[in-house]
Amino acid sequence: MKALCHLTLLLCVTLPFFALPAGAVFLDERLEDPAQEARARDISGDIRCLVCQNQSILDSNADLAQDLRQIVRERITLGDSDAEVRDYLVRRYGDWVLLDPPFKMTTYLLWIGPAVIFLIGALLMILFLRGRSGQNETATTTVLTREEQAELDRLFDSDGPGDRS
Amino acid sequence: MQLRFLVPVLTFVAIAVVMWYALFNLNPTEIPSELVSKAAPEFSLEAVPGYGPGLAKSDLATGKVVLLNVFASWCVACMVEHPFFMELREQDTVDIYGLNYKDTPTAAAEWLQRHGNPYKRTGMDLKGRVGIDFGVYGVPETFVIGPDGTILDKVIGPLTRPMFDMRIRPLLKGAES
Protein backbone atom coordinates (compact mmCIF):
# COMPACT_ATOMS: atom_id res chain seq x y z
CA MET A 1 0.00 0.00 0.00
CA LYS A 2 2.80 2.35 0.95
CA ALA A 3 4.73 1.42 -2.16
CA LEU A 4 1.71 2.22 -4.30
CA CYS A 5 1.44 5.57 -2.57
CA HIS A 6 5.08 6.31 -3.32
CA LEU A 7 4.65 5.29 -6.92
CA THR A 8 1.68 7.59 -7.36
CA LEU A 9 3.58 10.44 -5.81
CA LEU A 10 6.56 9.78 -8.06
CA LEU A 11 4.33 9.72 -11.11
CA CYS A 12 2.67 12.97 -10.12
CA VAL A 13 6.04 14.67 -9.71
CA THR A 14 7.67 13.34 -12.84
CA LEU A 15 4.77 13.15 -15.24
CA PRO A 16 5.01 16.77 -16.38
CA PHE A 17 8.52 16.03 -17.62
CA PHE A 18 7.36 13.09 -19.68
CA ALA A 19 4.56 15.02 -21.30
CA LEU A 20 5.10 15.10 -25.03
CA PRO A 21 5.91 18.46 -26.55
CA ALA A 22 2.55 19.89 -27.43
CA GLY A 23 3.74 20.80 -30.91
CA ALA A 24 1.54 23.87 -30.68
CA VAL A 25 -0.35 23.28 -33.86
CA PHE A 26 -2.15 26.46 -34.68
CA LEU A 27 -5.23 24.98 -36.26
CA ASP A 28 -6.53 28.06 -38.02
CA GLU A 29 -3.36 28.24 -40.09
CA ARG A 30 -3.61 24.80 -41.64
CA LEU A 31 -3.35 24.21 -45.37
CA GLU A 32 -6.09 22.26 -47.15
CA ASP A 33 -3.80 19.64 -48.64
CA PRO A 34 -2.56 17.31 -45.85
CA ALA A 35 0.68 16.54 -47.73
CA GLN A 36 1.50 20.22 -48.09
CA GLU A 37 0.54 20.82 -44.47
CA ALA A 38 2.88 18.05 -43.38
CA ARG A 39 5.71 19.61 -45.39
CA ALA A 40 4.95 23.05 -43.93
CA ARG A 41 5.15 21.64 -40.43
CA ASP A 42 8.30 19.74 -41.23
CA ILE A 43 10.02 22.88 -42.49
CA SER A 44 8.68 25.08 -39.70
CA GLY A 45 10.04 22.66 -37.14
CA ASP A 46 13.55 23.34 -38.44
CA ILE A 47 13.26 27.11 -38.56
CA ARG A 48 14.44 28.91 -35.50
CA CYS A 49 12.28 31.66 -34.09
CA LEU A 50 14.25 34.91 -34.01
CA VAL A 51 12.41 36.25 -31.01
CA CYS A 52 12.46 33.22 -28.71
CA GLN A 53 15.73 31.86 -30.10
CA ASN A 54 15.59 28.29 -28.86
CA GLN A 55 12.13 27.52 -30.11
CA SER A 56 11.26 26.60 -33.64
CA ILE A 57 8.68 28.77 -35.36
CA LEU A 58 6.38 25.77 -35.21
CA ASP A 59 6.38 25.90 -31.41
CA SER A 60 6.53 29.63 -30.88
CA ASN A 61 3.53 31.89 -30.58
CA ALA A 62 5.56 35.03 -31.14
CA ASP A 63 4.08 37.39 -33.69
CA LEU A 64 7.04 37.06 -36.00
CA ALA A 65 6.95 33.26 -35.79
CA GLN A 66 3.33 33.37 -36.88
CA ASP A 67 4.25 35.55 -39.87
CA LEU A 68 7.09 33.22 -40.79
CA ARG A 69 4.83 30.16 -40.55
CA GLN A 70 2.45 31.88 -42.89
CA ILE A 71 5.27 32.62 -45.30
CA VAL A 72 6.38 28.98 -45.23
CA ARG A 73 2.84 27.90 -46.09
CA GLU A 74 2.58 30.52 -48.82
CA ARG A 75 5.83 29.47 -50.44
CA ILE A 76 4.67 25.86 -50.41
CA THR A 77 1.35 26.66 -52.06
CA LEU A 78 3.30 28.67 -54.64
CA GLY A 79 5.13 25.45 -55.50
CA ASP A 80 8.50 25.97 -53.80
CA SER A 81 10.53 22.92 -52.86
CA ASP A 82 11.57 22.45 -49.22
CA ALA A 83 15.06 23.73 -49.98
CA GLU A 84 13.68 26.78 -51.77
CA VAL A 85 11.52 27.68 -48.77
CA ARG A 86 14.50 27.42 -46.45
CA ASP A 87 16.57 29.45 -48.89
CA TYR A 88 13.94 32.16 -48.91
CA LEU A 89 14.28 32.56 -45.15
CA VAL A 90 18.06 32.18 -45.07
CA ARG A 91 18.41 35.00 -47.62
CA ARG A 92 16.65 37.29 -45.15
CA TYR A 93 17.80 36.06 -41.77
CA GLY A 94 20.97 34.11 -42.46
CA ASP A 95 21.97 30.59 -41.44
CA TRP A 96 20.95 31.62 -37.97
CA VAL A 97 17.30 30.73 -38.70
CA LEU A 98 18.14 27.10 -39.36
CA LEU A 99 18.10 24.95 -36.25
CA ASP A 100 20.34 22.59 -38.20
CA PRO A 101 22.87 24.92 -39.84
CA PRO A 102 24.82 23.74 -42.91
CA PHE A 103 28.50 22.83 -42.74
CA LYS A 104 30.50 25.55 -44.46
CA MET A 105 33.38 27.95 -43.93
CA THR A 106 31.55 30.23 -41.53
CA THR A 107 30.09 27.42 -39.45
CA TYR A 108 32.93 24.89 -39.42
CA LEU A 109 34.02 25.95 -35.94
CA LEU A 110 30.49 25.33 -34.69
CA TRP A 111 30.53 21.81 -36.08
CA ILE A 112 34.05 20.59 -35.41
CA GLY A 113 34.69 22.69 -32.29
CA PRO A 114 33.35 20.10 -29.83
CA ALA A 115 35.33 17.29 -31.50
CA VAL A 116 38.52 19.39 -31.42
CA ILE A 117 38.03 20.20 -27.75
CA PHE A 118 37.39 16.52 -27.02
CA LEU A 119 40.57 15.49 -28.85
CA ILE A 120 42.66 18.09 -27.02
CA GLY A 121 41.21 16.86 -23.74
CA ALA A 122 41.91 13.24 -24.64
CA LEU A 123 45.48 14.10 -25.65
CA LEU A 124 46.11 15.97 -22.42
CA MET A 125 44.70 13.09 -20.42
CA ILE A 126 46.88 10.55 -22.22
CA LEU A 127 49.95 12.70 -21.61
CA PHE A 128 49.01 13.13 -17.98
CA LEU A 129 48.43 9.41 -17.39
CA ARG A 130 51.61 8.47 -19.25
CA GLY A 131 53.60 10.85 -17.10
CA ARG A 132 52.10 9.44 -13.95
CA SER A 133 52.65 5.78 -14.78
CA GLY A 134 56.27 6.65 -15.71
CA GLN A 135 56.72 8.22 -12.32
CA ASN A 136 55.34 5.12 -10.62
CA GLU A 137 57.85 2.83 -12.35
CA THR A 138 60.86 4.80 -11.18
CA ALA A 139 59.43 5.05 -7.70
CA THR A 140 58.81 1.31 -7.25
CA THR A 141 61.91 -0.23 -8.83
CA THR A 142 64.13 -0.18 -5.80
CA VAL A 143 66.98 -2.64 -5.75
CA LEU A 144 66.44 -5.68 -3.52
CA THR A 145 68.73 -6.17 -0.61
CA ARG A 146 70.97 -9.22 -0.53
CA GLU A 147 68.71 -11.04 1.97
CA GLU A 148 65.62 -10.35 -0.06
CA GLN A 149 67.29 -11.64 -3.23
CA ALA A 150 68.36 -14.80 -1.41
CA GLU A 151 64.83 -15.32 -0.11
CA LEU A 152 63.43 -14.85 -3.60
CA ASP A 153 65.87 -17.36 -5.10
CA ARG A 154 64.99 -19.88 -2.38
CA LEU A 155 61.28 -19.49 -3.16
CA PHE A 156 61.80 -19.94 -6.88
CA ASP A 157 64.02 -22.96 -6.36
CA SER A 158 61.63 -24.70 -4.02
CA ASP A 159 58.84 -24.10 -6.51
CA GLY A 160 59.94 -26.49 -9.23
CA PRO A 161 62.64 -28.98 -10.07
CA GLY A 162 64.77 -26.11 -11.32
CA ASP A 163 64.26 -25.95 -15.03
CA ARG A 164 64.90 -22.22 -15.03
CA SER A 165 68.02 -21.52 -16.97
CA MET B 1 60.87 24.11 -11.71
CA GLN B 2 57.58 22.59 -10.68
CA LEU B 3 55.10 24.91 -12.39
CA ARG B 4 52.75 22.15 -13.44
CA PHE B 5 50.27 23.19 -10.78
CA LEU B 6 49.76 26.34 -12.83
CA VAL B 7 48.17 24.39 -15.70
CA PRO B 8 44.68 24.07 -14.15
CA VAL B 9 44.89 27.60 -12.78
CA LEU B 10 45.72 29.03 -16.20
CA THR B 11 43.04 26.90 -17.83
CA PHE B 12 40.52 28.32 -15.41
CA VAL B 13 41.70 31.87 -16.05
CA ALA B 14 41.43 31.37 -19.83
CA ILE B 15 37.87 30.02 -19.58
CA ALA B 16 36.90 32.77 -17.14
CA VAL B 17 38.18 35.49 -19.49
CA VAL B 18 36.27 34.07 -22.45
CA MET B 19 33.07 33.77 -20.43
CA TRP B 20 33.46 37.20 -18.90
CA TYR B 21 33.80 38.67 -22.37
CA ALA B 22 30.82 36.75 -23.68
CA LEU B 23 28.68 37.71 -20.71
CA PHE B 24 29.21 41.45 -20.93
CA ASN B 25 30.13 42.12 -24.53
CA LEU B 26 28.15 39.71 -26.64
CA ASN B 27 24.41 40.02 -26.92
CA PRO B 28 22.70 36.77 -27.92
CA THR B 29 19.55 38.59 -28.96
CA GLU B 30 21.49 40.51 -31.59
CA ILE B 31 21.59 38.52 -34.78
CA PRO B 32 23.86 40.02 -37.42
CA SER B 33 22.01 41.07 -40.54
CA GLU B 34 22.30 38.88 -43.59
CA LEU B 35 21.59 41.85 -45.85
CA VAL B 36 24.65 43.93 -45.02
CA SER B 37 26.50 44.90 -48.22
CA LYS B 38 23.56 43.70 -50.30
CA ALA B 39 21.05 45.85 -52.14
CA ALA B 40 17.91 46.80 -50.27
CA PRO B 41 14.98 44.57 -51.20
CA GLU B 42 12.35 45.69 -53.67
CA PHE B 43 9.35 47.38 -52.06
CA SER B 44 6.87 50.18 -52.51
CA LEU B 45 4.66 51.41 -49.70
CA GLU B 46 2.09 54.07 -49.07
CA ALA B 47 2.91 56.82 -46.62
CA VAL B 48 1.50 57.22 -43.15
CA PRO B 49 -1.51 59.47 -43.91
CA GLY B 50 -0.29 63.06 -43.99
CA TYR B 51 3.41 62.19 -43.85
CA GLY B 52 4.95 62.31 -47.28
CA PRO B 53 4.43 60.68 -50.65
CA GLY B 54 5.21 57.09 -49.73
CA LEU B 55 8.39 55.07 -49.74
CA ALA B 56 9.92 52.69 -52.28
CA LYS B 57 13.27 51.06 -52.87
CA SER B 58 14.22 53.73 -55.42
CA ASP B 59 13.79 56.46 -52.78
CA LEU B 60 16.61 54.98 -50.74
CA ALA B 61 19.31 55.28 -53.42
CA THR B 62 19.80 59.01 -52.99
CA GLY B 63 23.50 59.45 -53.70
CA LYS B 64 24.26 59.89 -50.02
CA VAL B 65 24.15 57.81 -46.89
CA VAL B 66 20.67 57.75 -45.32
CA LEU B 67 18.98 55.92 -42.48
CA LEU B 68 15.95 53.70 -42.68
CA ASN B 69 14.33 53.44 -39.29
CA VAL B 70 11.81 50.70 -38.55
CA PHE B 71 9.30 52.05 -36.05
CA ALA B 72 5.79 51.48 -34.74
CA SER B 73 3.40 53.34 -32.51
CA TRP B 74 3.11 50.25 -30.28
CA CYS B 75 6.86 50.06 -29.80
CA VAL B 76 8.02 51.42 -26.46
CA ALA B 77 11.73 51.35 -27.27
CA CYS B 78 11.01 53.55 -30.29
CA MET B 79 10.13 56.40 -27.96
CA VAL B 80 13.58 56.10 -26.43
CA GLU B 81 15.36 56.80 -29.70
CA HIS B 82 12.80 59.20 -31.10
CA PRO B 83 14.14 62.44 -29.49
CA PHE B 84 17.56 61.62 -30.91
CA PHE B 85 16.09 61.28 -34.40
CA MET B 86 14.33 64.61 -33.97
CA GLU B 87 17.69 66.11 -33.09
CA LEU B 88 19.34 64.58 -36.15
CA ARG B 89 16.59 66.03 -38.27
CA GLU B 90 16.94 69.52 -36.77
CA GLN B 91 20.69 69.52 -37.25
CA ASP B 92 20.26 68.06 -40.72
CA THR B 93 22.92 65.46 -39.97
CA VAL B 94 21.41 62.70 -42.06
CA ASP B 95 18.14 62.01 -43.87
CA ILE B 96 15.97 59.49 -42.08
CA TYR B 97 13.27 57.43 -43.74
CA GLY B 98 10.61 55.76 -41.63
CA LEU B 99 9.33 52.24 -42.15
CA ASN B 100 6.19 51.94 -40.07
CA TYR B 101 6.04 48.27 -39.08
CA LYS B 102 2.76 46.40 -38.47
CA ASP B 103 0.86 49.43 -37.34
CA THR B 104 -2.48 51.01 -38.22
CA PRO B 105 -2.54 54.21 -40.30
CA THR B 106 -4.38 56.23 -37.67
CA ALA B 107 -2.22 55.07 -34.77
CA ALA B 108 0.95 55.79 -36.74
CA ALA B 109 -0.24 59.26 -37.76
CA GLU B 110 -1.25 60.09 -34.21
CA TRP B 111 2.07 58.90 -32.89
CA LEU B 112 4.00 61.07 -35.34
CA GLN B 113 1.83 64.03 -34.51
CA ARG B 114 2.38 63.62 -30.81
CA HIS B 115 6.12 62.93 -30.86
CA GLY B 116 7.15 64.82 -33.99
CA ASN B 117 8.16 63.64 -37.43
CA PRO B 118 11.88 63.13 -38.01
CA TYR B 119 11.34 61.29 -41.29
CA LYS B 120 11.80 62.59 -44.79
CA ARG B 121 9.43 59.96 -46.14
CA THR B 122 7.40 57.26 -44.47
CA GLY B 123 6.03 53.93 -45.65
CA MET B 124 3.44 51.76 -43.98
CA ASP B 125 4.28 48.07 -43.84
CA LEU B 126 0.87 47.01 -42.56
CA LYS B 127 1.42 43.26 -42.84
CA GLY B 128 5.08 43.30 -41.95
CA ARG B 129 6.12 41.66 -45.20
CA VAL B 130 8.59 44.36 -46.21
CA GLY B 131 10.03 44.09 -42.73
CA ILE B 132 10.61 40.39 -43.25
CA ASP B 133 12.24 41.09 -46.61
CA PHE B 134 14.59 43.39 -44.72
CA GLY B 135 15.23 40.69 -42.12
CA VAL B 136 13.57 42.73 -39.39
CA TYR B 137 12.82 40.66 -36.28
CA GLY B 138 12.04 43.34 -33.76
CA VAL B 139 11.37 47.03 -33.55
CA PRO B 140 13.22 49.37 -33.56
CA GLU B 141 15.89 48.57 -36.08
CA THR B 142 17.83 51.12 -38.08
CA PHE B 143 19.45 50.40 -41.43
CA VAL B 144 22.27 52.48 -42.82
CA ILE B 145 21.78 52.75 -46.57
CA GLY B 146 24.63 53.68 -48.89
CA PRO B 147 24.50 56.17 -51.80
CA ASP B 148 23.58 53.43 -54.28
CA GLY B 149 20.93 51.84 -52.08
CA THR B 150 23.03 49.04 -50.60
CA ILE B 151 22.63 48.25 -46.94
CA LEU B 152 25.81 49.20 -45.09
CA ASP B 153 24.88 48.28 -41.55
CA LYS B 154 21.99 47.57 -39.24
CA VAL B 155 21.57 48.74 -35.67
CA ILE B 156 19.27 46.54 -33.59
CA GLY B 157 17.37 48.22 -30.78
CA PRO B 158 17.16 51.93 -29.95
CA LEU B 159 19.80 54.04 -31.66
CA THR B 160 21.78 56.01 -29.10
CA ARG B 161 24.22 58.83 -29.64
CA PRO B 162 27.34 56.77 -28.75
CA MET B 163 26.21 54.05 -31.15
CA PHE B 164 25.53 56.66 -33.84
CA ASP B 165 28.98 58.21 -33.35
CA MET B 166 30.69 54.85 -33.38
CA ARG B 167 28.92 53.01 -36.18
CA ILE B 168 27.13 55.49 -38.39
CA ARG B 169 29.16 58.72 -38.37
CA PRO B 170 32.24 57.02 -39.91
CA LEU B 171 30.02 55.75 -42.73
CA LEU B 172 28.65 59.27 -43.33
CA LYS B 173 32.19 60.63 -43.53
CA GLY B 174 33.36 57.77 -45.72
CA ALA B 175 30.71 58.59 -48.29
CA GLU B 176 31.63 62.29 -48.38
CA SER B 177 35.29 61.85 -49.17
Side-chain angles (χ1 to χ4, degrees):
Chain A
M1 188 58 206
K2 204 176 169 193
L4 193 69
C5 215
H6 278 161
L7 193 67
T8 325
L9 192 69
L10 192 72
L11 269 179
C12 287
V13 174
T14 55
L15 208 56
F17 299 102
F18 290 118
L20 290 167
V25 176
F26 300 88
L27 289 172
D28 49 325
E29 297 172 6
R30 263 197 299 199
L31 291 174
E32 300 265 315
D33 180 356
Q36 284 187 340
E37 174 63 19
R39 277 178 59 210
R41 255 185 245 169
D42 215 39
I43 296 170
S44 301
D46 282 338
I47 301 293
R48 185 162 163 184
C49 173
L50 290 107
V51 184
C52 4
Q53 304 228 340
N54 275 334
Q55 270 185 315
S56 72
I57 58 168
L58 185 68
D59 296 326
S60 170
N61 50 5
D63 227 31
L64 186 71
Q66 193 181 335
D67 289 353
L68 292 180
R69 276 198 305 272
Q70 207 187 334
I71 281 178
V72 167
R73 291 193 162 95
E74 258 177 40
R75 301 308 307 178
I76 285 175
T77 42
L78 288 172
D80 275 14
S81 71
D82 290 7
E84 280 167 341
V85 177
R86 279 193 203 102
D87 240 41
Y88 181 92
L89 293 168
V90 168
R91 272 204 304 278
R92 286 155 179 77
Y93 293 103
D95 287 333
W96 203 94
V97 288
L98 301 175
L99 280 170
D100 192 6
F103 188 86
K104 57 184 198 187
M105 273 310 279
T106 48
T107 56
Y108 74 96
L109 199 62
L110 183 72
W111 281 100
I112 64 171
V116 167
I117 290 171
F118 176 79
L119 285 177
I120 290 173
L123 197 72
L124 286 176
M125 200 157 88
I126 289 169
L127 287 178
F128 174 72
L129 290 175
R130 275 249 181 100
R132 210 167 62 163
S133 63
Q135 264 178 1
N136 282 353
E137 265 164 40
T138 52
T140 50
T141 38
T142 44
V143 183
L144 296 176
T145 61
R146 190 176 292 239
E147 296 85 55
E148 283 168 338
Q149 188 61 52
E151 173 73 3
L152 198 62
D153 287 345
R154 195 184 57 76
L155 283 170
F156 271 127
D157 285 343
S158 68
D159 198 35
D163 33 341
R164 285 188 324 123
S165 52
Chain B
M1 281 285 271
Q2 276 293 342
L3 290 176
R4 288 170 65 108
F5 75 93
L6 277 178
V7 172
V9 177
L10 290 178
T11 310
F12 170 77
V13 169
I15 293 173
V17 166
V18 169
M19 290 195 167
W20 185 273
Y21 175 80
L23 187 60
F24 291 105
N25 294 288
L26 301 179
N27 184 356
T29 60
E30 249 182 49
I31 304 151
S33 175
E34 187 68 10
L35 279 91
V36 166
S37 75
K38 287 182 188 158
E42 205 64 57
F43 73 97
S44 175
L45 294 170
E46 278 181 34
V48 176
Y51 291 91
L55 187 62
K57 184 196 172 181
S58 52
D59 297 322
L60 296 176
T62 51
K64 52 185 179 175
V65 175
V66 297
L67 300 185
L68 177 70
N69 174 238
V70 185
F71 76 105
S73 68
W74 47 263
C75 155
V76 181
C78 296
M79 294 203 323
V80 175
E81 61 174 7
H82 202 74
F84 181 57
F85 283 138
M86 293 304 289
E87 209 176 294
L88 289 177
R89 168 98 206 209
E90 271 160 31
Q91 294 167 353
D92 207 17
T93 319
V94 59
D95 287 343
I96 308 163
Y97 295 88
L99 180 67
N100 184 237
Y101 182 69
K102 295 187 96 172
D103 211 342
T104 62
T106 44
E110 269 172 30
W111 194 82
L112 286 175
Q113 201 185 0
R114 189 177 322 143
H115 299 285
N117 176 28
Y119 305 117
K120 205 165 180 199
R121 280 164 177 266
T122 56
M124 284 189 304
D125 183 19
L126 296 173
K127 284 177 150 181
R129 284 309 171 86
V130 175
I132 284 173
D133 284 345
F134 268 92
V136 171
Y137 67 94
V139 203
E141 282 183 12
T142 305
F143 291 87
V144 187
I145 313 260
D148 57 346
T150 44
I151 294 171
L152 301 179
D153 198 1
K154 171 167 103 161
V155 176
I156 294 156
L159 184 66
T160 57
R161 184 185 299 281
M163 218 184 287
F164 180 82
D165 288 341
M166 193 176 70
R167 282 174 67 173
I168 299 177
R169 218 178 268 281
L171 295 173
L172 293 175
K173 287 212 182 103
E176 272 169 20
S177 56

